[in-house]
Amino acid sequence: PFIFSMKVTNTVAHIQWNSVPGQKYQLEGANDLSGSAWNDVGSEVTATGIIAEQTESTVGKPQRYYRVRLAP
């Protein structure tokens, strides 16, 4: 999967990625790329269409990186 859209509205990041219906995905976030501290953002998302999405509050997070992985 690849992230193709991210926008922040009212301190909430909205992240969208391409998906396969029925497949489970986990969005992960990190505050910097220098370490390996990737953490799950919310719970797994089961895609219902060709686009899946997840949100995260940006309060207290001046900079954030995201990636998506297939969930087992």
Side-chain angles (χ1 to χ4, degrees):
F2 65 91
I3 294 173
F4 66 84
S5 175
M6 191 196 119
K7 65 180 178 177
V8 177
T9 306
N10 298 326
T11 69
V12 176
H14 300 264
I15 301 97
Q16 293 182 324
W17 60 90
N18 69 314
S19 61
V20 174
Q23 179 66 55
K24 293 182 182 180
Y25 299 89
Q26 179 64 58
L27 180 66
E28 298 177 330
N31 292 329
D32 65 67
L33 296 176
S34 62
S36 60
W38 289 94
N39 298 301
D40 290 350
V41 174
S43 13
E44 290 179 356
V45 173
T46 302
T48 58
I50 61 170
I51 297 171
E53 65 182 341
Q54 180 73 293
T55 60
E56 180 183 45
S57 172
T58 60
V59 174
K61 300 170 187 161
Q63 179 171 287
R64 195 80 165 137
Y65 298 92
Y66 295 99
R67 69 183 183 187
V68 179
R69 66 175 171 80
L70 292 173

